[in-house]
Every structure is written in C-alpha cells, then in structure tokens.
Coordinates of all heavy atoms in Angstrom, one line a residue:
L1 N 3.9 -10.9 -5.3 CA 2.8 -10.0 -4.8 C 2.3 -9.2 -6.0 O 3.0 -8.8 -6.9 CB 3.3 -9.0 -3.7 CG 3.9 -9.7 -2.4 CD1 4.4 -8.6 -1.6 CD2 2.8 -10.4 -1.7
L2 N 1.0 -9.0 -5.9 CA 0.3 -8.2 -6.9 C -0.5 -7.2 -6.2 O -1.0 -7.4 -5.1 CB -0.6 -9.1 -7.8 CG 0.1 -10.2 -8.6 CD1 -1.0 -11.1 -9.2 CD2 0.9 -9.6 -9.7
F3 N -0.8 -6.1 -6.9 CA -1.8 -5.1 -6.4 C -3.2 -5.9 -6.3 O -3.5 -6.6 -7.3 CB -2.0 -4.0 -7.4 CG -0.8 -2.9 -7.2 CD1 0.2 -3.0 -8.2 CD2 -0.8 -2.0 -6.3 CE1 1.3 -2.1 -8.2 CE2 0.3 -1.0 -6.2 CZ 1.2 -1.1 -7.2
E4 N -3.9 -5.8 -5.2 CA -5.1 -6.4 -5.2 C -6.1 -5.9 -6.2 O -6.8 -6.6 -6.9 CB -5.7 -6.3 -3.8 CG -7.1 -6.9 -3.6 CD -7.6 -6.9 -2.2 OE1 -7.9 -5.8 -1.7 OE2 -7.9 -7.9 -1.7
D5 N -6.1 -4.6 -6.3 CA -6.9 -3.9 -7.4 C -6.0 -3.6 -8.6 O -5.2 -2.6 -8.5 CB -7.5 -2.6 -6.8 CG -8.3 -1.9 -7.8 OD1 -8.2 -2.1 -9.1 OD2 -9.2 -1.0 -7.4
R6 N -6.0 -4.4 -9.6 CA -5.0 -4.3 -10.7 C -5.2 -2.9 -11.4 O -4.1 -2.3 -11.8 CB -5.1 -5.4 -11.6 CG -4.6 -6.7 -10.9 CD -4.6 -7.8 -11.9 NE -4.2 -9.1 -11.2 CZ -3.9 -10.2 -11.8 NH1 -3.9 -10.2 -13.1 NH2 -3.5 -11.2 -11.1
E7 N -6.4 -2.4 -11.5 CA -6.6 -1.1 -12.2 C -5.9 0.0 -11.4 O -5.2 0.8 -11.9 CB -8.0 -0.8 -12.4 CG -8.7 -1.5 -13.6 CD -10.1 -1.0 -13.8 OE1 -10.4 0.2 -13.6 OE2 -10.9 -1.9 -14.2
A8 N -6.1 0.0 -10.1 CA -5.4 0.9 -9.2 C -3.9 0.8 -9.3 O -3.2 1.8 -9.2 CB -5.9 0.8 -7.8
G9 N -3.5 -0.4 -9.3 CA -2.0 -0.7 -9.4 C -1.4 -0.1 -10.6 O -0.4 0.6 -10.7
A10 N -2.2 -0.3 -11.8 CA -1.7 0.3 -13.1 C -1.7 1.8 -13.0 O -0.8 2.4 -13.5 CB -2.6 -0.3 -14.1
H11 N -2.7 2.3 -12.4 CA -2.8 3.7 -12.3 C -1.6 4.3 -11.5 O -1.0 5.3 -11.9 CB -4.1 4.2 -11.6 CG -4.2 5.7 -11.4 ND1 -4.4 6.6 -12.5 CD2 -4.1 6.4 -10.3 CE1 -4.5 7.8 -12.0 NE2 -4.3 7.7 -10.7
I12 N -1.3 3.7 -10.3 CA -0.1 4.0 -9.6 C 1.2 4.1 -10.4 O 1.9 5.0 -10.4 CB 0.0 3.2 -8.3 CG1 -1.2 3.5 -7.3 CG2 1.4 3.4 -7.6 CD1 -1.3 2.4 -6.2
L13 N 1.4 3.0 -11.1 CA 2.6 2.9 -11.8 C 2.7 3.9 -13.0 O 3.7 4.6 -13.2 CB 2.8 1.5 -12.4 CG 2.9 0.4 -11.2 CD1 2.9 -1.0 -11.9 CD2 4.0 0.6 -10.4
K14 N 1.6 4.1 -13.6 CA 1.5 5.1 -14.7 C 1.7 6.5 -14.2 O 2.5 7.3 -14.7 CB 0.1 5.1 -15.3 CG -0.1 6.1 -16.5 CD -1.5 5.9 -17.1 CE -1.6 7.0 -18.2 NZ -3.0 6.9 -18.7
E15 N 1.1 6.9 -13.0 CA 1.4 8.2 -12.4 C 2.8 8.4 -12.0 O 3.4 9.5 -12.2 CB 0.4 8.3 -11.2 CG -1.0 8.6 -11.5 CD -1.2 9.9 -12.2 OE1 -0.7 11.0 -11.7 OE2 -1.9 9.9 -13.2
A16 N 3.5 7.4 -11.5 CA 4.8 7.4 -11.1 C 5.7 7.7 -12.3 O 6.7 8.5 -12.3 CB 5.3 6.2 -10.4
R17 N 5.3 7.0 -13.4 CA 6.1 7.1 -14.6 C 6.1 8.5 -15.2 O 7.0 9.1 -15.6 CB 5.7 6.1 -15.7 CG 6.4 6.3 -17.0 CD 6.0 5.2 -18.0 NE 6.7 5.4 -19.2 CZ 6.6 4.6 -20.3 NH1 5.8 3.6 -20.3 NH2 7.3 4.9 -21.4
I18 N 4.8 9.1 -15.2 CA 4.6 10.4 -15.8 C 5.0 11.5 -14.9 O 5.6 12.5 -15.3 CB 3.1 10.6 -16.2 CG1 2.7 9.5 -17.3 CG2 2.8 12.0 -16.6 CD1 1.3 9.4 -17.6
N19 N 4.6 11.4 -13.6 CA 4.7 12.6 -12.6 C 5.9 12.5 -11.7 O 6.1 13.5 -10.9 CB 3.4 12.8 -11.9 CG 2.3 13.1 -12.9 OD1 2.4 13.9 -13.8 ND2 1.1 12.6 -12.6
G20 N 6.5 11.4 -11.8 CA 7.6 11.2 -10.7 C 7.3 10.4 -9.6 O 6.2 9.8 -9.6
A21 N 8.0 10.5 -8.5 CA 7.9 9.6 -7.3 C 6.5 9.9 -6.6 O 5.9 11.0 -6.7 CB 8.9 9.9 -6.4
L22 N 5.9 8.9 -6.1 CA 4.7 9.0 -5.3 C 4.6 7.9 -4.3 O 5.3 6.9 -4.4 CB 3.4 9.0 -6.2 CG 3.0 7.7 -6.8 CD1 1.6 7.4 -6.3 CD2 2.9 7.9 -8.3
S23 N 3.8 8.1 -3.3 CA 3.7 7.1 -2.3 C 2.3 7.1 -1.7 O 1.5 7.9 -1.9 CB 4.7 7.4 -1.1 OG 4.4 8.7 -0.6
G24 N 2.0 6.1 -0.9 CA 0.7 5.9 -0.4 C 0.6 4.5 0.3 O 1.5 3.8 0.6
E25 N -0.7 4.1 0.5 CA -1.0 2.8 1.0 C -1.9 2.1 0.1 O -2.8 2.7 -0.5 CB -1.7 2.9 2.5 CG -0.7 3.5 3.5 CD -1.3 3.5 4.9 OE1 -2.5 3.1 5.0 OE2 -0.6 4.0 5.8
T26 N -1.8 0.7 0.0 CA -2.7 0.0 -0.8 C -2.7 -1.5 -0.3 O -2.0 -1.7 0.8 CB -2.3 0.0 -2.3 OG1 -3.3 -0.6 -3.1 CG2 -1.0 -0.7 -2.6
I27 N -3.4 -2.4 -0.9 CA -3.4 -3.7 -0.5 C -2.7 -4.5 -1.6 O -3.0 -4.5 -2.8 CB -4.8 -4.4 -0.3 CG1 -5.5 -3.4 0.7 CG2 -4.8 -5.8 0.0 CD1 -5.1 -3.6 2.1
F28 N -1.8 -5.5 -1.2 CA -1.2 -6.4 -2.1 C -1.8 -7.8 -1.8 O -2.3 -8.0 -0.8 CB 0.3 -6.6 -2.0 CG 1.2 -5.5 -2.6 CD1 0.6 -4.5 -3.4 CD2 2.6 -5.5 -2.6 CE1 1.3 -3.4 -4.0 CE2 3.3 -4.5 -3.2 CZ 2.8 -3.5 -3.9
R29 N -1.8 -8.7 -2.8 CA -2.3 -10.0 -2.6 C -1.3 -10.9 -3.1 O -0.7 -10.9 -4.1 CB -3.6 -10.2 -3.4 CG -4.3 -11.5 -3.1 CD -5.6 -11.6 -3.8 NE -6.6 -10.7 -3.3 CZ -7.5 -11.0 -2.3 NH1 -7.4 -12.1 -1.6 NH2 -8.4 -10.1 -1.9
T30 N -1.0 -12.0 -2.3 CA 0.0 -13.0 -2.6 C -0.7 -14.0 -3.6 O -1.9 -14.0 -3.8 CB 0.4 -13.9 -1.4 OG1 -0.8 -14.6 -0.9 CG2 0.9 -12.9 -0.3
R31 N 0.1 -14.9 -4.1 CA -0.4 -15.9 -5.0 C -1.5 -16.8 -4.4 O -2.3 -17.4 -5.0 CB 0.7 -16.8 -5.6 CG 1.5 -16.0 -6.5 CD 2.6 -16.9 -7.1 NE 3.5 -16.1 -8.0 CZ 4.6 -16.5 -8.3 NH1 5.1 -17.6 -8.0 NH2 5.4 -15.7 -9.2
R32 N -1.3 -17.0 -3.1 CA -2.3 -17.8 -2.3 C -3.5 -17.0 -1.9 O -4.4 -17.6 -1.2 CB -1.6 -18.4 -1.1 CG -0.5 -19.4 -1.4 CD 0.1 -20.1 -0.3 NE 1.1 -21.0 -0.7 CZ 1.7 -21.8 0.1 NH1 1.5 -21.6 1.4 NH2 2.6 -22.7 -0.4
G33 N -3.6 -15.8 -2.2 CA -4.8 -15.0 -1.9 C -4.7 -14.3 -0.6 O -5.8 -13.6 -0.1
V34 N -3.6 -14.2 0.1 CA -3.5 -13.5 1.3 C -3.3 -12.0 1.1 O -2.6 -11.6 0.3 CB -2.2 -14.0 2.2 CG1 -2.1 -13.2 3.4 CG2 -2.4 -15.5 2.5
R35 N -4.2 -11.3 1.8 CA -4.2 -9.8 1.6 C -3.1 -9.2 2.5 O -3.0 -9.5 3.7 CB -5.5 -9.2 2.0 CG -6.6 -9.7 1.1 CD -8.0 -9.2 1.5 NE -8.1 -7.8 0.9 CZ -8.5 -6.7 1.6 NH1 -8.8 -6.9 2.9 NH2 -8.6 -5.5 1.0
I36 N -2.3 -8.3 2.1 CA -1.2 -7.7 2.8 C -1.3 -6.1 2.6 O -1.1 -5.6 1.5 CB 0.2 -8.1 2.4 CG1 0.3 -9.6 2.5 CG2 1.3 -7.4 3.2 CD1 1.6 -10.2 2.0
P37 N -1.7 -5.4 3.7 CA -1.6 -4.0 3.6 C -0.2 -3.5 3.6 O 0.6 -4.0 4.3 CB -2.4 -3.5 4.8 CG -2.2 -4.5 5.8 CD -2.1 -5.8 5.0
V38 N 0.1 -2.5 2.6 CA 1.4 -2.1 2.5 C 1.4 -0.5 2.3 O 0.4 0.1 1.9 CB 2.1 -2.6 1.2 CG1 2.3 -4.1 1.3 CG2 1.4 -2.3 -0.1
R39 N 2.5 0.1 2.7 CA 2.9 1.4 2.5 C 3.9 1.4 1.4 O 4.9 0.7 1.5 CB 3.4 2.1 3.8 CG 3.6 3.6 3.5 CD 3.9 4.3 4.9 NE 2.9 4.2 5.8 CZ 2.9 3.6 7.0 NH1 4.0 3.0 7.5 NH2 1.9 3.6 7.7
Y40 N 3.7 2.2 0.2 CA 4.6 2.0 -0.9 C 5.2 3.4 -1.2 O 4.6 4.4 -1.0 CB 3.9 1.4 -2.1 CG 2.8 2.4 -2.6 CD1 3.2 3.3 -3.6 CD2 1.4 2.2 -2.2 CE1 2.2 4.2 -4.0 CE2 0.5 3.1 -2.8 CZ 0.9 4.0 -3.6 OH -0.1 4.9 -4.2
S41 N 6.3 3.2 -2.0 CA 6.9 4.4 -2.6 C 7.4 3.9 -4.0 O 8.0 2.9 -4.1 CB 8.2 4.8 -1.8 OG 8.7 6.0 -2.4
C42 N 7.0 4.7 -5.0 CA 7.3 4.3 -6.4 C 7.9 5.5 -7.1 O 7.6 6.6 -7.0 CB 5.9 3.9 -7.1 SG 6.1 3.2 -8.7
A43 N 9.0 5.2 -7.9 CA 9.6 6.3 -8.6 C 10.2 5.7 -10.0 O 10.5 4.6 -10.1 CB 10.8 6.8 -7.8
P44 N 10.2 6.6 -11.0 CA 10.7 6.2 -12.3 C 12.2 6.2 -12.3 O 12.8 6.9 -11.5 CB 10.2 7.3 -13.2 CG 10.0 8.5 -12.3 CD 9.6 8.0 -11.0
L45 N 12.8 5.2 -13.1 CA 14.2 5.2 -13.3 C 14.5 5.8 -14.7 O 13.8 5.6 -15.6 CB 14.7 3.7 -13.3 CG 14.5 3.0 -12.0 CD1 14.9 1.5 -12.2 CD2 15.3 3.6 -10.9
R46 N 15.5 6.6 -14.7 CA 15.8 7.3 -16.1 C 17.2 7.0 -16.5 O 18.1 6.7 -15.6 CB 15.7 8.8 -15.8 CG 14.3 9.2 -15.3 CD 13.6 10.0 -16.4 NE 12.2 10.3 -16.0 CZ 11.2 10.0 -16.7 NH1 11.3 9.4 -17.8 NH2 10.0 10.4 -16.3
S47 N 17.4 6.9 -17.7 CA 18.7 6.6 -18.3 C 19.6 7.9 -18.2 O 19.0 8.9 -17.9 CB 18.6 6.2 -19.8 OG 18.2 7.3 -20.5
S48 N 20.8 7.8 -18.6 CA 21.7 9.0 -18.6 C 21.2 10.1 -19.5 O 21.5 11.2 -19.3 CB 23.2 8.5 -18.9 OG 23.2 7.9 -20.1
S49 N 20.5 9.6 -20.5 CA 19.9 10.6 -21.5 C 18.5 11.1 -21.1 O 17.7 11.6 -21.9 CB 19.9 10.1 -22.8 OG 19.2 8.9 -22.9
D50 N 18.2 10.8 -19.7 CA 16.9 11.1 -19.2 C 15.7 10.5 -19.8 O 14.5 10.9 -19.7 CB 16.7 12.7 -19.2 CG 15.6 13.1 -18.2 OD1 15.6 12.4 -17.1 OD2 14.8 14.0 -18.3
E51 N 15.9 9.3 -20.4 CA 14.7 8.5 -21.0 C 14.2 7.5 -19.9 O 15.0 7.0 -19.1 CB 15.2 7.8 -22.3 CG 15.5 8.7 -23.4 CD 15.8 7.9 -24.7 OE1 15.4 6.8 -24.8 OE2 16.7 8.4 -25.4
F52 N 13.0 7.3 -19.9 CA 12.4 6.3 -19.0 C 13.0 5.0 -19.2 O 13.0 4.5 -20.3 CB 10.9 6.3 -19.3 CG 10.2 5.2 -18.3 CD1 10.0 5.6 -17.1 CD2 9.7 4.0 -18.9 CE1 9.3 4.7 -16.2 CE2 9.2 3.2 -18.0 CZ 8.9 3.4 -16.6
A53 N 13.5 4.4 -18.1 CA 14.1 3.1 -18.1 C 13.4 2.0 -17.3 O 13.8 0.9 -17.4 CB 15.6 3.2 -17.7
G54 N 12.4 2.4 -16.5 CA 11.7 1.5 -15.6 C 11.2 2.1 -14.4 O 11.3 3.4 -14.3
L55 N 10.7 1.4 -13.5 CA 10.2 1.8 -12.3 C 10.8 1.1 -11.1 O 11.1 -0.1 -11.2 CB 8.7 1.6 -12.2 CG 7.8 2.5 -13.0 CD1 6.4 2.0 -13.1 CD2 7.9 4.0 -12.6
V56 N 11.0 1.8 -10.0 CA 11.3 1.0 -8.7 C 10.1 1.3 -7.7 O 9.6 2.3 -7.7 CB 12.6 1.5 -8.1 CG1 12.6 3.0 -7.7 CG2 13.1 0.8 -6.9
L57 N 9.7 0.1 -7.1 CA 8.5 0.1 -6.1 C 9.0 -0.5 -4.9 O 9.5 -1.7 -4.9 CB 7.4 -0.6 -6.7 CG 6.2 -0.8 -5.8 CD1 5.5 0.6 -5.6 CD2 5.2 -1.8 -6.4
L58 N 9.0 0.2 -3.9 CA 9.3 -0.3 -2.5 C 8.0 -0.4 -1.7 O 7.1 0.5 -1.8 CB 10.3 0.5 -1.8 CG 11.6 0.9 -2.5 CD1 12.4 1.9 -1.8 CD2 12.5 -0.4 -2.6
A59 N 7.8 -1.5 -1.0 CA 6.6 -1.7 -0.3 C 7.0 -2.3 1.1 O 7.8 -3.2 1.3 CB 5.6 -2.7 -1.0
L60 N 6.3 -1.8 2.2 CA 6.5 -2.1 3.5 C 5.2 -2.7 4.1 O 4.1 -2.1 4.0 CB 6.9 -0.9 4.4 CG 7.1 -1.1 5.9 CD1 8.2 -2.1 6.2 CD2 7.2 0.2 6.6
D61 N 5.3 -3.9 4.5 CA 4.1 -4.6 5.2 C 3.7 -3.8 6.4 O 4.5 -3.8 7.4 CB 4.5 -6.0 5.5 CG 3.4 -6.9 6.1 OD1 2.4 -6.3 6.5 OD2 3.5 -8.1 6.1
I62 N 2.5 -3.4 6.5 CA 2.0 -2.6 7.6 C 0.8 -3.4 8.3 O -0.1 -2.8 9.0 CB 1.6 -1.2 7.3 CG1 0.6 -1.1 6.1 CG2 2.9 -0.3 6.8 CD1 0.0 0.2 5.8
T63 N 0.8 -4.8 8.1 CA -0.2 -5.5 8.8 C -0.3 -5.3 10.2 O -1.4 -5.0 10.8 CB 0.1 -7.0 8.5 OG1 0.1 -7.2 7.1 CG2 -1.0 -7.9 9.2
R64 N 0.8 -5.3 11.0 CA 0.8 -5.0 12.4 C 0.2 -3.6 12.8 O -0.5 -3.5 13.6 CB 2.2 -5.2 13.0 CG 2.2 -5.2 14.5 CD 1.5 -6.4 15.1 NE 1.3 -6.2 16.6 CZ 0.2 -6.4 17.2 NH1 -0.8 -6.7 16.6 NH2 0.3 -6.3 18.5
E65 N 0.6 -2.6 12.0 CA 0.1 -1.2 12.2 C -1.4 -1.2 12.2 O -2.1 -0.6 13.0 CB 0.7 -0.3 11.3 CG 2.2 0.1 11.5 CD 2.8 1.0 10.5 OE1 2.1 1.9 10.2 OE2 3.9 0.8 10.1
K66 N -1.9 -1.8 11.1 CA -3.4 -1.9 10.9 C -4.1 -2.6 12.0 O -5.2 -2.3 12.4 CB -3.7 -2.5 9.5 CG -3.2 -1.6 8.4 CD -3.9 -0.3 8.4 CE -3.4 0.5 7.1 NZ -4.1 1.9 7.2
E67 N -3.4 -3.8 12.4 CA -4.1 -4.5 13.5 C -4.1 -3.6 14.9 O -5.1 -3.6 15.5 CB -3.3 -5.8 13.8 CG -3.4 -6.9 12.7 CD -2.4 -7.9 12.9 OE1 -1.5 -7.9 13.7 OE2 -2.6 -8.9 12.2
I68 N -3.1 -2.9 15.1 CA -3.0 -2.0 16.3 C -4.1 -0.9 16.1 O -4.8 -0.6 17.1 CB -1.7 -1.4 16.4 CG1 -0.7 -2.5 16.9 CG2 -1.7 -0.3 17.5 CD1 0.8 -2.1 16.9
E69 N -4.2 -0.3 15.0 CA -5.3 0.8 14.7 C -6.6 0.2 15.0 O -7.4 0.8 15.6 CB -5.3 1.2 13.3 CG -4.1 2.1 12.9 CD -4.1 2.5 11.5 OE1 -5.1 2.3 10.8 OE2 -3.1 3.1 11.0
L70 N -6.9 -1.0 14.5 CA -8.3 -1.7 14.8 C -8.5 -1.9 16.2 O -9.6 -1.7 16.8 CB -8.4 -2.9 14.0 CG -8.6 -2.8 12.5 CD1 -8.5 -4.1 11.8 CD2 -9.8 -2.1 12.1
E71 N -7.5 -2.4 16.9 CA -7.6 -2.6 18.4 C -7.8 -1.3 19.1 O -8.7 -1.3 20.0 CB -6.4 -3.4 18.9 CG -6.3 -3.7 20.3 CD -7.5 -4.7 20.7 OE1 -8.1 -5.4 19.8 OE2 -7.8 -4.8 22.0
R72 N -7.1 -0.3 18.8 CA -7.3 1.0 19.5 C -8.8 1.5 19.2 O -9.4 2.0 20.2 CB -6.4 2.0 19.0 CG -5.0 1.8 19.5 CD -4.1 2.9 19.0 NE -2.7 2.7 19.6 CZ -1.6 3.1 19.1 NH1 -1.6 3.8 18.0 NH2 -0.4 2.9 19.7
A73 N -9.2 1.4 18.0 CA -10.6 1.8 17.7 C -11.6 0.9 18.5 O -12.7 1.4 19.0 CB -10.9 1.7 16.2
R74 N -11.4 -0.3 18.6 CA -12.3 -1.3 19.4 C -12.3 -0.9 20.8 O -13.4 -0.8 21.5 CB -11.8 -2.7 19.3 CG -12.7 -3.7 19.9 CD -12.2 -5.1 19.7 NE -11.1 -5.3 20.7 CZ -11.1 -5.5 22.0 NH1 -12.3 -5.5 22.5 NH2 -10.0 -5.8 22.7
V75 N -11.1 -0.6 21.4 CA -11.1 -0.2 22.8 C -11.7 1.2 23.0 O -12.5 1.3 24.0 CB -9.6 -0.1 23.3 CG1 -9.5 0.6 24.7 CG2 -8.9 -1.5 23.3
A76 N -11.5 2.1 22.1 CA -12.2 3.4 22.2 C -13.7 3.3 22.1 O -14.4 3.9 22.9 CB -11.7 4.3 21.1
Q77 N -14.2 2.4 21.3 CA -15.6 2.1 21.2 C -16.2 1.5 22.5 O -17.2 1.9 23.0 CB -16.0 1.3 20.0 CG -17.4 1.0 19.8 CD -18.2 2.4 19.5 OE1 -17.8 3.2 18.6 NE2 -19.2 2.6 20.3
M78 N -15.4 0.6 23.0 CA -15.8 -0.1 24.3 C -15.9 1.0 25.4 O -16.8 0.9 26.2 CB -14.8 -1.1 24.7 CG -15.0 -2.4 23.8 SD -13.7 -3.7 24.2 CE -14.0 -4.0 25.9
R79 N -14.9 1.9 25.5 CA -14.9 2.9 26.5 C -16.1 3.9 26.4 O -16.8 4.2 27.2 CB -13.7 3.8 26.4 CG -12.5 3.1 27.0 CD -11.3 4.0 27.1 NE -10.1 3.2 27.6 CZ -8.9 3.5 27.4 NH1 -8.5 4.6 26.6 NH2 -7.9 2.8 27.9
A80 N -16.4 4.2 25.1 CA -17.5 5.1 24.8 C -18.9 4.4 25.2 O -19.8 5.1 25.7 CB -17.6 5.5 23.3
D81 N -19.0 3.1 24.9 CA -20.2 2.4 25.2 C -20.4 2.2 26.7 O -21.5 2.1 27.2 CB -20.2 1.0 24.5 CG -20.3 1.1 23.1 OD1 -20.7 2.1 22.6 OD2 -20.0 0.0 22.4
F82 N -19.3 2.1 27.5 CA -19.3 1.9 28.9 C -19.7 3.2 29.6 O -20.4 3.2 30.6 CB -17.9 1.5 29.3 CG -17.9 1.2 30.8 CD1 -18.5 0.0 31.4 CD2 -17.2 2.0 31.7 CE1 -18.5 -0.2 32.7 CE2 -17.1 1.7 33.0 CZ -17.8 0.6 33.6
M83 N -19.3 4.3 29.1 CA -19.6 5.6 29.8 C -21.0 6.1 29.5 O -21.9 6.1 29.3 CB -18.6 6.7 29.4 CG -17.2 6.3 29.9 SD -16.1 7.6 29.5 CE -14.7 7.0 30.4

C-alpha cells in the first residue's frame, strides 16, 4: 500500500519524525489502484541513545465506516427532500 498523495504521505512521515506521534485519516492505494480510506497513527522509533531509528505506521481500513457515512447522508437528504 502507498499513500495516494505521495507528497502528503511524505509530509506525514516527516512530521512524525520531527514532532513525534500523529494520527489522522488519508487514502492509501494498492498496487492495482484500489483506493482504501484509512485511519492512521504514526510515531518515530528511537534508539537507546534517543537517536532516530525509524518510523512505525499503523493503518486501519475504514472503508465500511465511510460507506455508512455516505448512506446516512443520502438518507438524510432523501428525508429533507421529502418534507
């Protein structure tokens, strides 16, 4: 998986490295081009001497949550249009 917007992905990783842990939502893209909305958490890894040693990035697929949000919005719009 890759960040769909590579510049934004690089920015997220840079911010986590410099400022510590951060989280949010973004879109990942598979090698086949499938878009996957994710909620992520990213944090720097430090050595015992507190030197930067890498990053850990956890991502949760929130496709179903996004589908439910869209369906709720669609139903709310239908109700508003009906009344």
Side-chain angles (χ1 to χ4, degrees):
L1 297 174
L2 298 170
F3 286 98
E4 181 175 60
D5 179 342
R6 290 187 184 188
E7 281 186 36
H11 177 74
I12 289 167
L13 298 176
K14 181 179 177 183
E15 286 295 312
R17 179 179 179 175
I18 295 169
N19 298 320
L22 72 119
S23 60
E25 292 182 6
T26 192
I27 303 291
F28 280 1
R29 188 175 291 273
T30 67
R31 289 181 182 164
R32 293 185 179 181
V34 177
R35 299 176 81 229
I36 302 172
V38 297
R39 184 171 298 120
Y40 68 86
S41 181
C42 185
L45 298 173
R46 303 247 175 235
S47 68
S48 58
S49 59
D50 201 37
E51 292 184 32
F52 177 76
L55 290 167
V56 62
L57 175 72
L58 302 173
L60 175 67
D61 181 344
I62 58 172
T63 301
R64 187 68 187 130
E65 289 178 40
K66 294 297 183 181
E67 291 170 348
I68 290 168
E69 285 176 16
L70 288 173
E71 182 63 16
R72 285 182 179 156
R74 187 185 70 77
V75 168
Q77 184 61 51
M78 287 175 56
R79 285 184 181 159
D81 291 346
F82 183 72
M83 294 182 173

